[in-house]
Amino acid sequence: MCIRDSNHFSRWLKARTEFALAHMLRPRRLTDFEDAEGLRDNLIQTIKRYRLEQSQTLVADFDRATFDLSGDFYRIGGGSLGGKARGLAFVRRMLGELGLRHRFDGVEIAVPETVVLSTNIFDDFLDLNDLKNFAIECDDDAEIQRRFVAARFPEEAERDVSAFLEKAGWPLAVRSSSLLEDSQHQPFTGVYETLMLPNNDWSLGERLERALVAIKRVYASTFSQHAKGYLRATPYRLEEEKMAVLLQRIVGSARGGRFYPDFSGVGRSHNFYPTPPLESEDGIVAAGLGMGRIIVDGGACLRFSPKHPRHILQFSSVAETLDTTQKEFWALPLEGGSKDGGMREEVYDLSVAEGDGALAAVGSTYSPENDVVYDGLSRSGPRVVTFAPILKHGRFPLAEVIGTLMDTGEQGMGVPVEIEFAVSLACRRGERCEFGFLQLRPLSLTREMEALELAEVDAAGVLCASQRVLGNGRIEGIQDLVVVDYQRFERAQSPEAAAEVGRLNGLLLSQRRPYALIGVGRWGSRDPWLGIPVTWDQVAGAQVIVEAGLRDLNVTPSQGTHFFQNLTSFNVGYFTVNPETGDGEIDWDWLDAQSAVSQAAHVRHIRLERPILVLMDGKKNEGLILKDAELLAPPTEAG
């Protein structure tokens, strides 16, 4: 069937769904009912059930005169829903058509209630306030934010948002959904704002005002220096980007003046760093207590494969368990506001979660006397987030649910996928726990996965070798190295190191010089004690990145971050090495001997006379960086 335009599609869909309702009603006969009233009640219930099923798969146009929360996904305005909202619309249809919402006992899988402000409202807002040219040309984020927040909001859209808030009495996430977000090749993850609203003021006017400010701030983030820096590394132009915004119920419950889910996470259907018995196709999940910021910001969390939920590498020893598991969690304050005007999560100690009663679902206890980690919280001792009550004792079927959704999402999209989720266990007896499906996006894989033979070379010619490499193929022509000094780097100064890396990245991008970024700790971590808290726009010019263990801490690759998604979409080679444990090597002495173009407290910029050569075998997840490209010529590849 040829669907020529959106109006034709709407008529076709309406006719198709009316046939579906007729099919549900056809088996009824007058003789099946005692009287006309019985028939009437049955017809009403059938139509209600049908409307509910439709509301769980279709995107309904918002009508403030009739809006009653009977559906859970609405659009305000015309134009596009944006990439994030399109992904969620696909998820809802997938859950409905495949019967996944209630497939698991005691669990409801659903997209939380959402209203999408489509891209036409963004265009109207810019036109109404004459902001577009100003925002494109301005390089002052604070001034862009000020002008946008002070600007008028389109009147009809404001009335619709007010009508939604009048019925929606739960905390809200105000999320970006731009045209370019969640595309397969440049997914723009983590580039734009996400803000949180307690949405609990007694006055509708106050709640509306805060919601409009949050929407405008998301609009302003379209033109931030962060977004502009990201766009410069893509084939897109800022003029092409448009922003839709989601107002979405936050999954979770209120506890002690805070609101948060029991746990949340990110799942990938392809594991770039499998360790036996895991395989790449088994997928990988990063999960943590509380809100998902602990994961997307690269903090300490739990990583497991849904196919092997009890084979957890970071639990290989008690010391490793204590070093790598979660020490804090994120939640939204409901009273008093946060440091960012009440629109951000705050970080809390695990003891707060224990006091709230939330730690029991995911916690274990360390016994210093026995040097053992025991499941549960019945003993005294330091608490550890292990997810043992869930992954070992079956309190919630997390591995089964995630595995099913990742497999189904990959089949539906035709490529490996990444999903974000949040789970609330706070259900009354007889009710289902909530698995909130928050996002589905394609997971970009790096270069074609052809096996690349790594030829034998003299060890003296190797700058870096690793058995944990993301990427495949050869990278040539790099003469610039940006290096965070291994000997003199102090974790307390990691934000300063990130700022200097960002400055050099901007300089080399402007000179169109690709470079290799070499440093210690986990790149992109917001926790300065785990690594260097760069954002993607601060390293967007790097063609290969090396992260090496700190002097007193090994690094594990993070697979739950926006940073990681950008690595794969930009085809950046990524090497992880921990020389202290024999896991790969890097020649720090050779780097230290090279003269520097510039040098700051922690970061050196080196320009070599001859280019390096990067070789990566994507099937074996191993690679080499050679100090001189001519050490391996001509190239040899095996198909």
Side-chain angles (χ1 to χ4, degrees), residues 24-44:
M24 295 173 67
L25 295 173
R26 179 175 296 175
R28 279 113 175 122
R29 300 176 185 223
L30 287 173
T31 55
D32 294 335
F33 304 94
E34 293 183 1
D35 51 31
E37 190 64 25
L39 173 60
R40 177 179 178 275
D41 289 343
N42 185 274
L43 291 174
I44 290 173

Side-chain angles (χ1 to χ4, degrees), residues 458-473:
D458 187 343
V462 176
L463 170 57
C464 178
S466 174
Q467 290 76 48
R468 289 197 286 180
V469 174
L470 168 64
N472 190 77

Side-chain angles (χ1 to χ4, degrees), residues 129-171:
N129 298 281
D130 195 23
L131 285 172
K132 187 168 186 177
N133 290 335
F134 154 75
I136 289 174
E137 296 170 3
C138 182
D139 59 2
D140 184 339
D141 285 352
E143 179 62 14
I144 292 174
Q145 285 271 349
R146 188 191 69 78
R147 290 274 296 271
F148 271 59
V149 169
R152 287 185 298 154
F153 203 75
E155 184 176 343
E156 287 301 307
E158 180 174 337
R159 290 179 179 176
D160 285 341
V161 173
S162 178
F164 169 68
L165 293 176
E166 191 172 4
K167 301 287 177 60
W170 357 264

